[in-house]
Structures are given as C-alpha cells and as structure tokens.
Amino acid sequence: MAIILQEKIPYDPFSPRALPGVQPAQMETWLHQDDAFAAQMQRREALLDERRDEVLALRREAEPAARELLDLVLTQAYPGAIDHAQRPDGVTVRIDRTEPLETLCRLVQEDFCILQKQGDEHVLTGAILCFPASWRLSEKFMRPLVDIHVPVASYDADIARRVQRLFDGIRPDRPLWRFNVLWYEDPELFQPRSASEPRKTRDRATKSYLRSERQTLLRLPETGAVVFSIHTYVLAADSLPEMENPA
C-alpha cells in the first residue's frame, strides 16, 4: 500500500486546548482540500469498493439527513453540479442521491458522521468512515455520545455532559472545529481497532508519523441532525513544517 502523506497542516497541532477544545469556524473553511487530495481520494474509493460494510453505515431514519448533507457539500465544494461533479484530480463523480454517503465518499477528503437526537442524547445513525483512527464503525453505530467515546480515559462524566450541551447548542451555518494529535508508527489511513483492544498511548519520541484530525461540528438546518466531519492529516514526524495559523 502506498504511503499517503501531507507536506503541511493548516493549524498548529502543538497548541492543544482543554477538552472539548472547540472553537468557531466559518462555512467557507468547513471543508478542507490539501496536497494529498488525489491520493486520499483514490484510497477512499478503494476502501468503499473493497470494504464497504466496514466504512459505511446508514439507518433509514438518517437518510434525509444524509441527502441534506450531500446537497450542502455540493453547494460548498462543487457549486453548480447537478448530475456529475468534476473533482480537482480530474475524476468525474456521478451524483447519486439514492446513495448519499457513497457519493460523499467520492467527492471530498472528509469522513462524515451523522448524529441525531434520540431522547436525551445524540446517537450515531449514519457514517462514511474510511480513515478511522483506532476505532470501528460497527462498534459505535447506533450508540450515544458517551458510548462512542468509551474507552477514552479523559472523556469522563463531566466532559460527557459538556459535550452533550455543546451538541444541543450547535446552530446551522455556525460550525465549530477542534483537532487532536496522535502518533503512529504506521502511516496507513485505514486504522480500525476494536474498543476491547485499545491502542496504547504513543508519544512523539518513539513514533514516525504525526496523525491529526481536523474535526468539525455542524447542524443541518432542515433535518436538525449534527454532522461530525473528520479531515485526516498524516505527516512524517522528522519533517514537520513550520505551523501556519489555524483556519
């Protein structure tokens, strides 16, 4: 498998914030496109074709939200596209609104998780997740926020309540964003791992690659679902560039 790396990252991953670590974003910067676009898109398409059941899940009740998300992504990234979209790498993608998550997988680098309020909590009802960072979609699908974050040690009951309040307060057209910092020996983007076998904490001194996810939260105005998007950056640890300002 080819190694897919970015040469730069558009924020400083060494300036962490206390959990949940969110800050305001703009719709204009909701989606990112970087120098690994073509390679990541090829990997996404291969995973969708070869491991569809591991990277895609969608409940019937989430289908309207998935279609709304597809329309929003088209508006932001491919304005004017109706039946087909021309990607920056020259690939033409057929827009299939009967398969909204599959179409999204072929359009942008971001993974998307759809969370809908059921009772007092938001539940993961749909996702296209090609680049999991040590978790399995099958184990988190149809689970509430607290269960999704188990076994993250720092995600205690207080953080869980704060995150749920945060989700309740998200407004359309007012995205929020945060990032994480992970250190891996293997640069592979598809890194599923069972919650029963959690990855040991790794530090920069012993690992070869920085993996950082730019995560955004956005409420869809029509269905009210919350979209959690993940843009994955992987850089060689020994060639990290000077960091730019957050965007």
Side-chain angles (χ1 to χ4, degrees):
M1 185 62 61
I3 295 177
I4 301 172
L5 303 176
Q6 281 94 347
E7 295 183 359
K8 60 182 180 179
I9 186 169
Y11 52 87
D12 183 354
F14 306 124
S15 297
R17 293 169 173 249
L19 287 175
V22 296
Q23 52 194 305
Q26 303 295 323
M27 286 303 300
E28 292 78 9
T29 58
W30 173 48
L31 303 173
H32 276 202
Q33 185 182 115
D34 58 53
D35 55 299
F37 180 88
Q40 280 201 359
M41 296 310 297
Q42 290 174 11
R43 183 70 176 126
R44 293 174 69 79
E45 291 191 285
L47 287 165
L48 183 63
D49 293 340
E50 299 166 7
R51 311 182 78 150
R52 181 186 178 93
D53 291 343
E54 295 180 67
V55 303
L56 190 152
L58 183 64
R59 291 279 288 191
R60 183 181 298 275
E61 62 263 33
E63 290 177 359
R67 288 191 290 270
E68 184 182 4
L69 173 59
L70 172 59
D71 287 338
L72 182 59
V73 168
L74 288 170
T75 298
Q76 292 291 316
Y78 298 93
I82 300 175
D83 297 320
H84 294 82
Q86 185 81 15
R87 286 197 329 225
D89 59 353
V91 174
T92 299
V93 176
R94 185 173 71 89
I95 299 171
D96 184 354
R97 288 181 170 79
T98 68
E99 294 284 354
L101 294 185
E102 178 175 320
T103 304
L104 283 165
C105 180
R106 302 181 189 278
L107 288 175
V108 292
Q109 290 172 264
E110 279 78 10
D111 285 323
F112 295 102
C113 296
I114 296 172
L115 296 108
Q116 295 175 292
K117 192 74 174 289
Q118 296 186 0
D120 294 330
E121 295 185 288
H122 281 80
V123 174
L124 180 62
T125 55
I128 178 68
L129 183 73
C130 292
F131 303 153
S134 299
W135 60 287
R136 292 186 185 278
L137 177 57
S138 60
E139 294 183 355
K140 307 299 184 181
F141 187 55
M142 294 306 298
R143 305 288 293 275
L145 278 176
V146 172
D147 289 347
I148 288 174
H149 286 88
V150 172
V152 178
S154 58
Y155 198 89
D156 58 19
D158 179 61
I159 293 295
R161 287 191 293 270
R162 289 168 58 192
V163 171
Q164 183 56 58
R165 288 197 299 269
L166 175 69
F167 269 63
D168 289 339
I170 295 171
R171 299 168 58 186
D173 298 322
R174 299 285 184 86
L176 303 170
W177 80 282
R178 67 180 300 275
F179 65 86
N180 60 19
V181 175
L182 306 167
W183 297 98
Y184 279 77
E185 187 61 36
D186 181 359
E188 169 58 49
L189 289 160
F190 181 65
Q191 297 248 12
R193 178 179 288 273
S194 174
S196 63
E197 299 177 350
R199 190 176 75 99
K200 295 180 180 179
T201 302
R202 307 295 187 182
D203 60 37
R204 180 178 184 177
T206 61
K207 296 300 157 187
S208 299
Y209 298 96
L210 165 70
R211 180 171 180 142
S212 181
E213 297 174 325
R214 180 184 185 271
Q215 305 168 346
T216 67
L217 293 165
L218 177 68
R219 186 176 302 281
L220 299 175
E222 294 180 12
T223 60
V226 172
V227 175
F228 178 70
S229 66
I230 307 165
H231 190 114
T232 301
Y233 293 90
V234 181
L235 295 87
D238 62 359
S239 62
L240 289 174
E242 293 185 4
M243 296 299 111
E244 302 174 5
N245 292 327

